[in-house]
Each structure stands twice: as structure tokens, then as C-alpha cells.
Amino acid sequence: MATTLLEIEDLSVRLPQDQAARPILDAVSLRVAPGESVGLVGESGSGKSVTCRSVLGLLPGQAAATGRVLLDGDDVLSLPGARLRALRRKRVAMIFQDPRASINPVRRIGDFVTEGLRAGGLPYKQALERAVELLEAVGIRDPRAAVRRYPHEFSGGMLQRVMIAGALACEPDLLLADEPTTALDVTTQAEVISILARLRAARGMGMLFVTHDLELAAAICDRIYVMYAGRIVEAQDTGELFARPRHPYTSGLLAATPRLESDQPPHGIAGRPLSLAEAPAGCAFAARCPRAIERCADGTPPLEPVDRAQVACWRAQEAVHE
Ligand SMILES: Nc1ncnc2c1ncn2[C@@H]1O[C@H](COP(=O)(O)OP(=O)(O)OP(=O)(O)O)[C@@H](O)[C@H]1O
Ligand code: SF4
Ligand SMILES: [Mg+2]
């Protein structure tokens, strides 16, 4: 088995709210091997961002977490502040959904891209040279002029390329990409994804790629975890997930995805997604599931191996023999 770069084990997170603790993640486990590209897919509110941010120790204030978030064997949840900051600077980088909301508008692009390098001790001039190379690598025209510009002078797509350059500056082992292209138009989205895929492969970085778009995850990920209401409900290699989805929620997501090769119109999953706090006892997907039977209300189905997949569904074994 490949050594693991990131290993989240049984991560549960609760928020205190009006005395009663509100759960947002329940027993989430996932792995990313060095150089592997892994997708985390689910509808809004399913817990993708909280999972992703836990890797940087950035859980919501007052959240109580149990389980482990191991990065190269160190548990992020119990690291002292100084080591956590060093880890954020050197080993892990994150790209956020909305580049404009996550970059300081009054600082020059060059200052942003060189920040981690300078904090790591590289002299300003060398850091700036490195920033110019990085901006060129992500397709920014005239990078020497770009380092002197401000964020408002760039389009959303160009700014997301700048964010990627900033994330890659310290050559992290792991890149966390939290819906990095959701705010972009489709053409720009495709360009940014191809830059990300190329640079990730060239540098051998591991990546956790968060999206609500299964098709997009398939374009860039070797393996995919599907999340529903704060839990992982299915994990498979990308090709197998598309060929044989094992969880009814994954099947629903696939049916909701428009396909060029199909003459069937896409149809969405009936009902609305739930957060874990709203989920009933039993399987959280039951109210929307076309395969639900009485037994599904009997407790939360655990994530268990089914052939080469992992699936959390009481009927997953049955489906194999159908
Ligand atoms: N800082 C916070 N304070 C309170 N609740 C939060 C906070 N962050 C997340 N939550 C709650 O945790 C749950 C999971 O949120 P999360 O942001 O991880 O979802 P998501 O899958 O990333 O959704 P989206 O696709 O909309 O980004 C939601 O119910 C959300 O309301
Ligand atoms: S456990 Fe039941 S309700 Fe849940 S996904 Fe499986 S069949 Fe559907
Ligand atoms: Mg999110």
C-alpha cells in the first residue's frame, strides 16, 4: 500500500448552538497518497469545506473535533500553534472558491505570491524572481509587470491563476483546492483546471479537490469520495465510480449530470440536500432515495467495503448481486 500523505480518521465535528451541540461532520475518513489527486464531491452544506479546512487546523471557532487529521503522520488537530503555522507555510497550501474574497485588495500581486517564500527566509529579490516564474507558469502575460499590479486590475480567472501561483510558491506536498473554479465562467474554468492538472502532475503534489460537480472531479481526480449530510457515503476510483456507482446518491448525482454522449436529458435528485444537524435517524438520504425500504431508518449505515469500493448503504451488497 502506498504511504499516506493525508489521512483523516474518523473525524467528527460539532458546533455548540443554543446549548444543544449541532453536528456538522460524522466519522469522516479519507486518504490522499503522495502525488494522488482525490476528489471530494457533494451538494451544498454536506461538509466538504469543513473537511478541507480541518487539514489546515481551520475549524469554525468553538467547534469540538474528535478523530485524527494526520499529515505525514502529524496530527494537525493537536499540533501546537507554531508547528501548525509552519505546516501551513510549507507543506500544505489551499486555493479558495472566490479568489477576490481571499486576497488582500490593497497589496500588490508580487507581495501576495512572495509572502510564503519571504516568511520562509528567502530574500525579497529572489522571492520576486520566483514569483515572476510562477506567474508565467500559470499563464499570466507580462509577469514582470503583473507583480506590481493590484488584485482589482485582474479578471476573476486571472486572479485564480495568481492564487494558484501563490499556493505553489512554497512547493507544498499537498494542495487543497476548495471549489477553485466555481466562481468562473465555463471556458475560464476549463483553462484553470488544465493549468492546475498540469502543474500538479509536473510537481508530483497530492491534491484534495473539492467540488459539487462530479464531472469536474472526474476530469482531474484519480479517486473520488462522495459526501452527503456530513458523512462519506461512497469512495471509488473515478472510472469505476462512473461505470458502477454503488450508492443511490452517487447514481442520482450522475443522472443529474448532463452528458454529451447521451440523448437522455439530465434529471436532478428530488428533494433538497440536508445538513447533518437536520438528518433523521437512520440513513440521511432515505427521504430522497428511490431504493429506500423500511430498514433504512434503523440506524446509520457504516462505510464498508463492497468489491473495490467503500459504500455506506444498507442495500449495497444486494445491489452487487442484482
Ligand atoms: N463557521 C461556521 N459556523 C457555523 N456553521 C458552519 C460553519 N462552517 C460550516 N458550517 C455548517 O457546517 C455544515 C457544512 O458546511 P460546509 O461549508 O463544509 O459545506 P460545503 O459542503 O462546503 O457546502 P458548499 O458547497 O455550499 O460550499 C453546514 O451545515 C454549514 O452551515
Ligand atoms: S441505506 Fe437505504 S435509504 Fe440509504 S441510500 Fe441505501 S437504500 Fe437508500
Ligand atoms: Mg464549501
Side-chain angles (χ1 to χ4, degrees), residues 7 11 18 26 42 50 54 60-61 74 126 232 234 268 275-276 314:
E7 185 162 9
L11 177 66
D18 307 333
D26 182 28
V50 174
S54 74
D74 288 329
Q126 279 165 264
I232 302 291
E234 174 157 7
S275 70
L276 180 57
W314 290 125

Side-chain angles (χ1 to χ4, degrees), residues 15 22 24 43-50 60 97 179 275:
L15 282 174
R22 186 164 73 95
I24 49 180
E43 286 164 300
S44 189
S46 55
K48 305 180 299 294
S49 292
V50 174
Q97 173 168 344
E179 309 226 27
S275 70

Side-chain angles (χ1 to χ4, degrees), residues 31-298:
R31 288 158 170 255
V32 180
E36 191 186 24
S37 173
V38 172
L40 183 59
V41 178
E43 286 164 300
S44 189
S46 55
K48 305 180 299 294
S49 292
V50 174
T51 304
C52 196
R53 294 170 69 97
S54 74
V55 182
L56 289 174
L58 292 175
L59 287 169
Q62 300 183 324
T66 56
R68 301 201 297 171
V69 179
L70 300 172
L71 203 61
D72 281 340
D74 288 329
D75 189 354
V76 172
L77 297 182
S78 55
L79 276 186
R83 285 195 54 203
L84 193 57
R85 281 190 294 279
L87 173 143
R88 284 184 198 147
R89 199 171 60 232
K90 192 78 194 109
R91 278 155 63 195
V92 195
M94 182 152 170
I95 308 171
F96 296 87
Q97 173 168 344
D98 181 356
R100 227 170 273 290
S102 47
I103 193 165
N104 185 337
V106 299
R107 289 179 65 215
R108 292 177 200 269
I109 294 303
D111 290 337
F112 169 75
V113 179
T114 57
E115 188 173 20
L117 293 167
R118 286 180 290 124
L122 199 67
Y124 185 74
K125 243 182 124 179
Q126 279 165 264
L128 204 59
E129 277 311 305
R130 184 87 191 95
V132 168
E133 286 166 25
L134 285 159
L135 289 169
E136 191 156 34
V138 295
I140 299 283
R141 256 173 277 130
D142 197 358
R144 282 192 191 279
V147 289
R148 291 195 298 276
R149 299 219 170 93
Y150 289 93
H152 73 266
E153 298 175 66
F154 290 80
S155 66
M158 286 298 155
L159 208 53
Q160 195 56 295
R161 292 172 194 229
V162 169
M163 299 294 295
I164 294 172
L168 300 187
C170 290
E171 304 191 347
D173 302 325
L174 177 67
L175 185 63
L176 305 167
D178 189 0
E179 309 226 27
T181 60
T182 307
L184 309 177
D185 65 74
V186 175
T187 315
T188 315
Q189 181 172 336
E191 286 167 11
V192 169
I193 289 291
S194 91
I195 289 168
L196 200 55
R198 179 168 50 78
L199 293 176
R200 191 200 67 75
R203 287 154 189 258
M205 274 182 305
M207 176 166 74
L208 184 63
F209 183 82
V210 171
T211 176
H212 58 268
D213 183 340
L214 202 45
E215 198 82 13
L216 192 61
I220 196 168
C221 298
D222 311 320
R223 214 149 50 76
I224 295 178
Y225 289 87
V226 179
M227 211 169 180
Y228 189 79
R231 299 185 181 114
I232 302 291
V233 295
E234 174 157 7
Q236 285 217 66
D237 287 348
T238 304
E240 288 172 32
L241 187 94
F242 272 66
R244 274 196 96 175
R246 303 288 193 170
H247 195 283
Y249 177 58
T250 315
S251 307
L253 284 179
L254 284 170
T257 307
R259 299 282 185 82
L260 280 178
E261 70 275 18
S262 168
D263 48 11
Q264 299 289 318
H267 50 90
I269 306 173
R272 71 174 178 87
L274 300 179
S275 70
L276 180 57
E278 298 170 300
C283 175
F285 189 56
R288 304 171 78 191
C289 181
R291 291 179 54 81
I293 49 175
E294 223 168 275
R295 177 175 173 219
C296 301
D298 280 355

